[in-house]
Each structure stands twice: as structure tokens, then as C-alpha cells.
Amino acid sequence: MSKTTKKFYSSLALAAIAAMPIAAMAEPVSAQTTLTKGQFLSMFLESVNIKPDLSGKSTFQDVSSKTALWGYVHKSLELGLATPDNKTRFGVSDAVSAAFATSVAAKYYHMDLAGQPPLTWAAKQGLIASSTGNLTLAEGKQFIAKLKAFASSIASIPGSWTLSSTKRKEFSSALANYDNALYSQTTCVETDRLQIQIAPKWRSDASLVSALQSEANQYERYTSTYDVGTANGQSAAIAQSTLVEGEQGSNSAKSDGTWTYVNYHDDVYFNDGSGGWSKQSNFGWMAPESVQIPVFTTGALQDVKYQKGVGEDVFTGQLKSQVAADYYAPFIQGFLSTALNTSTVSQSLVHQIGEQVVASVTLHISLQNGNPVLTAEDVRTLMRLPKSVISRLGGNGASAKRVSEVIQSMDVVMSAHATIAYQNIPLVLPSGLSIPGWPNSAGNGTGNSTSSSGNSTTNSTGNGVSGTGTGNSTATNAIGTSTANGTSPSGGQPENVSGISNSAS
């Protein structure tokens, strides 16, 4: 072959390579070839099953709209994963640093890394071989593969990027140990209050602020016990809940009832303190959540982070939105029924409020006989009420309009603290209840009633803590009295009116 012919074919080869899609260039001569920006973005998007976007026209001289590479560049720009070098050059041939690769990953997954740079986080998790210099093609592929495996490992606790593999195992094991414990005793105190923010125009009205503060100081405190054990070789549980209403800063409080539940052979026996026992057959297992004890375990949390406590490990996460909406739906239903004085509550409104519930959960885990054990859990929940509900608290017409003007926002804030022990303590039936097959049961009766009572377990408890205190006259009387008096603004009043304490105790 002549030199001229060789030069001709060589030119053809270079032209063909330049026009090739990036996917076709995935395997260069050496795996140690420096990874380029175009290659990495293409590989990354393919790894997360994001299709390239070939629409539009490239304004960059280094990437043609006619190539497959443009589709990946265009999609990366749409997702905010990368920026061009300048207006006319994207930089598809730029070398890729570990910092750039980890930054792309953090942006795509919307990672909350607790202030860590993505590069520092990736190095701690062992996702990159070196945090300095540029990546080779092999290192880029390895990073993407490890990242994909890491994302899969936290699928049950999404967003928990900062947990190490050791802490993920400890966290999941502690929750599984609680779920599977043959014996446990849970004690929980939950307090519910209103948090009210006054519109700027009214913040200097001392009389109004005082009246609303009095409303916000009202609380409901729900003290519950939940004991798990066995009876005649069968799993069983006994729960009791007492509701107390009071006012912060006051020593007086009023009991609003006690509810007792016994779960045995998938049946639930229920007593609300007003009469005998009723029975709901085929209920299934009565988890703590069934009786409004917010102990959330396997599969309920996301965005979990770890910090070292004193003699324990502390994990804090957010309740998954759907879990929160489902769990708090009975409370929302009961609260609205009481606050709005209606027996008919729109389910779409319950759903609307439930979607906005934000619940932060802190789990305390310690080692007992070498096993990670959940010993305590704190839950803080904020439930924002929409303007449509706030205005209805004032009734109709001018009164409703005034309430809507005065109150900028209103939230129900719930704080709960649960402690958990694991002791083999015999379960003792409550007074007045006998269950066939239960050891030491006095007889075969079940009290005054043995009929199925529908969703009595959830609804009775939900209604019991539905906001009869926090929703009684919420803001209606306070605003009506204060604003009607025409009190002149005096200034210096707090912007937020809140009945929240730092703890549930």
C-alpha cells in the first residue's frame, strides 16, 4: 500500500471515529486511558436508566447535534448534572476528576451529605480508589458500579447516604430485633399542642397574642404501655392508653379516658372504660402503631443519619411520607371532626393534610450481649393545617374572615418519647376480662359484648387523641373576643405563639 493510500485510509478512520457515538467508544485500547467528561456522563446516565435527549440543537462546537453524544450532554444539562466550559464549548473531551464524578452523583441522587463534600463522602464509603488526580476509564466504571450497589443497599432506607455499611447493619438489626422480640415492654408519652403564627398586622396586639397563647398552651398528653409476650405458647400483647388534657404552666389536668386492648389469636379485645369488653375477630397482629404508639421500625424511615451518643448510638431519620400519611390519618380525621364540629370530614382534606405531615424520628440503639437493641425512640411531628381549615375555625362570614386574617399559619405539633425494655414478664389479663385458652383466665366469657366492632382499635384510639383539647375553641373565641374589644397595638409581642415543650414528659 502506498504512503498516499495509507494516509487516505487513516483520514477515513479518524473521521469515522470522530462521528462515532460515545457508547461505541466505551472500550478504548487501554482501560487506563483517561476518562473524558462525555464518556462519564454517558456511562452514568446509562447506569441509572436515563435515556438521552436528542431533541434541540447543540450550541457547542465540540459536540454535534447529529451524534448520540449530544443526547447525553443535553440530558445532563437538563438534569443540572454538569455545566459547559463556556458558551461555545461543553468540554466533552475534558479529563474527569474524582471530584467531578462524585459531584454528578450527588446532584443526581439529591444527596444530603450532612455538609460533607461529595468527594470526601465517596472516599469514606470506599467508592473511589483515589481522591486525587483524574480518573481512568476503569476507575470511572468501578465508581459507577460501586455507587449503584450502594444505592441498592439503602433501598429500604432511601436517602441514607452517610451511613456506613457497619452502621446500616447495626440499624437494620436493631429494628429487626425489636420486630421479632418475643418479649418487650414499651412505655410512651405523647403530647399534642397547637403552634400558631400570627399575621404581621396583629403581632403587636397584646390582648390578642395573650388570648392565642392561652389556646396554644392547651395540650393533650397520651400515656401508653404496650407489652408483648406469650400466653399458652401464642404471641399476645396488652396495651393501655390514658388521655389527659391540661394547660402548660398549670398543675391541674383532667383525665379524658383510658382505653385497654388485648391481642390474642389474631383477635382484639377492647374496653374504653365506659362499660364491658368488646371483641374484634380476625384483626391480626396489633403493632404499637395500631394503638397510636409511634414506634416506627423496619421500612418506615428514610434519610437516616448516625451520631455517637453517650453509651449508645443515635440514628435520626424522617418518616416516609406515605407511612406518615397512613399513620396519622385517624388523628387528622378526629381532630378535624372535633375542631370543625362536624361528623362528616372530607377524605380529600384528610389526605391533603396527611401529605404534608413531617415527622422526625430519633432511635437510640445500644449493644446488649453483643446484639444491637432499640431502647428508646423520639418522634416529633408537625402537621400543617391549610387555610381552608383555619378560616372554618371561625365559623362563617365575617368571623371566618377575621380568623383567616389574624392567623398566618397553624400547626399541630406532636412530640413523643418511648422507652423499650426486653424482659420475660408474664402477661396478666386486665380486670374483668377472661379469654379461652389464656393461662389463669377466670372463664370463657369476654365481658359484655363479643361482637365485631369494625375498626374499633384504631378509631377509638384515634378519636381519643383526636384533638378534643387542641381543637375545642381553637382561636375562634380568642380572636373574636380580642379583636372585638378594639385593643390598640402595644408592640413587643412574639411572632410565634406556641404550646410546645422540648419533651413529651
Side-chain angles (χ1 to χ4, degrees):
M1 183 182 294
S2 67
K3 291 183 179 180
T4 302
T5 304
K6 288 181 179 179
K7 185 176 181 180
F8 173 74
Y9 279 104
S10 177
S11 298
L12 285 179
L14 290 173
I17 292 173
M20 285 172 65
I22 194 68
M25 299 170 61
E27 294 293 343
V29 175
S30 171
Q32 298 307 310
T33 300
T34 299
L35 180 64
T36 67
K37 188 175 178 181
Q39 286 175 318
F40 178 76
L41 291 173
S42 300
M43 291 192 303
F44 180 83
L45 291 175
E46 287 177 354
S47 74
V48 292
N49 300 314
I50 298 294
K51 295 181 179 180
D53 183 358
L54 291 167
S55 66
K57 185 177 181 180
S58 172
T59 59
F60 306 114
Q61 295 177 358
D62 58 342
V63 54
S64 170
S65 305
K66 297 180 180 179
T67 63
L69 178 58
W70 163 244
Y72 292 104
V73 169
H74 192 194
K75 195 64 182 179
S76 297
L77 291 171
E78 290 176 333
L79 296 175
L81 303 182
T83 57
D85 291 353
N86 53 53
K87 292 182 179 179
T88 60
R89 184 176 183 278
F90 181 78
V92 290
S93 298
D94 293 352
V96 170
S97 66
F100 175 82
T102 55
S103 173
V104 169
K107 290 175 182 177
Y108 175 77
Y109 285 107
H110 303 287
M111 294 181 185
D112 178 359
L113 301 177
Q116 295 180 92
L119 179 57
T120 302
W121 163 78
K124 286 182 178 179
Q125 297 291 354
L127 302 182
I128 52 174
S130 174
S131 59
T132 59
N134 297 323
L135 298 180
T136 64
L137 179 65
E139 289 170 338
K141 287 183 175 181
Q142 186 180 53
F143 168 67
I144 289 175
K146 288 184 175 181
L147 178 66
K148 192 171 183 178
F150 188 97
S152 178
S153 72
I154 62 170
S156 63
I157 43 173
S160 305
W161 297 102
T162 59
L163 291 185
S164 66
S165 58
T166 301
K167 293 306 173 186
R168 290 199 304 274
K169 182 178 180 181
E170 176 186 335
F171 177 80
S172 60
S173 296
L175 299 190
N177 288 338
Y178 174 81
D179 291 336
N180 299 324
L182 293 178
Y183 309 98
S184 66
Q185 298 79 41
T186 303
T187 300
C188 178
V189 178
E190 179 180 280
T191 303
D192 311 331
R193 290 191 178 91
L194 286 177
Q195 176 175 275
I196 302 171
Q197 186 175 55
I198 303 173
K201 177 182 177 181
W202 301 95
R203 290 174 189 168
S204 59
D205 188 326
S207 178
L208 175 61
V209 170
S210 177
L212 288 176
Q213 181 66 64
S214 179
E215 288 289 336
N217 282 343
Q218 305 299 314
Y219 67 81
E220 293 181 340
R221 181 160 295 155
Y222 192 56
T223 303
S224 308
T225 58
Y226 173 81
D227 298 337
V228 173
T230 59
N232 198 27
Q234 300 291 324
S235 294
I238 297 177
Q240 188 171 80
S241 306
T242 299
L243 175 64
V244 171
E245 297 177 4
E247 182 174 355
Q248 187 178 10
S250 172
N251 292 326
S252 62
K254 179 187 72 174
S255 176
D256 200 37
T258 297
W259 299 266
T260 307
Y261 313 86
V262 176
N263 189 191
Y264 181 63
H265 272 305
D266 289 338
D267 297 333
V268 168
Y269 301 81
F270 167 68
N271 190 324
D272 64 1
S274 63
W277 291 84
S278 61
K279 174 184 174 182
Q280 181 180 341
S281 301
N282 301 316
F283 179 87
W285 181 245
M286 184 181 67
E289 301 93 304
S290 303
V291 290
Q292 303 289 6
I293 300 178
V295 176
F296 301 107
T297 57
T298 305
L301 302 180
Q302 62 183 22
D303 304 324
V304 176
K305 295 179 176 61
Y306 160 78
Q307 66 180 36
K308 183 65 179 175
V310 179
E312 63 180 8
D313 286 341
V314 180
F315 295 82
T316 301
Q318 300 296 313
L319 200 59
K320 292 179 180 177
S321 57
Q322 190 58 57
V323 174
D326 291 343
Y327 174 74
Y328 288 106
F331 176 91
I332 297 171
Q333 176 92 23
F335 175 86
L336 294 176
S337 179
T338 302
L340 302 179
N341 193 25
T342 177
S343 59
T344 305
V345 177
S346 166
Q347 291 307 300
S348 62
L349 181 58
V350 173
H351 180 69
Q352 177 189 350
I353 297 174
E355 283 185 324
Q356 303 303 316
V357 170
V358 177
S360 176
V361 181
T362 300
L363 300 94
H364 303 262
I365 294 174
S366 62
L367 290 178
Q368 295 183 9
N369 299 321
N371 293 317
V373 173
L374 177 64
T375 57
E377 189 164 323
D378 296 287
V379 182
R380 182 176 172 83
T381 305
L382 187 142
M383 191 178 300
R384 175 140 295 183
L385 301 179
K387 272 289 187 180
S388 61
V389 170
I390 295 173
S391 64
R392 288 174 62 186
L393 295 175
N396 299 305
S399 179
K401 183 178 180 182
R402 178 60 57 86
V403 169
S404 185
E405 288 177 354
V406 171
I407 298 180
Q408 181 169 300
S409 67
M410 181 182 290
D411 307 315
V412 178
V413 179
M414 312 166 75
S415 56
H417 176 70
T419 57
I420 306 161
Y422 304 86
Q423 299 179 29
N424 187 354
I425 300 175
L427 296 177
V428 179
L429 284 180
S431 176
L433 176 64
S434 297
I435 299 177
W438 192 289
N440 303 319
S441 188
N444 293 331
T446 56
N448 293 341
S449 172
T450 57
S451 61
S452 175
S453 54
N455 292 326
S456 62
T457 302
T458 300
N459 288 341
S460 296
T461 310
N463 293 337
V465 291
S466 65
T468 51
T470 53
N472 264 344
S473 59
T474 308
T476 308
N477 295 335
I479 294 173
T481 301
S482 300
T483 57
N485 291 337
T487 307
S488 59
S490 59
Q493 297 300 327
E495 174 180 335
N496 290 303
V497 178
S498 173
I500 309 166
S501 65
N502 291 327
S503 68
S505 58

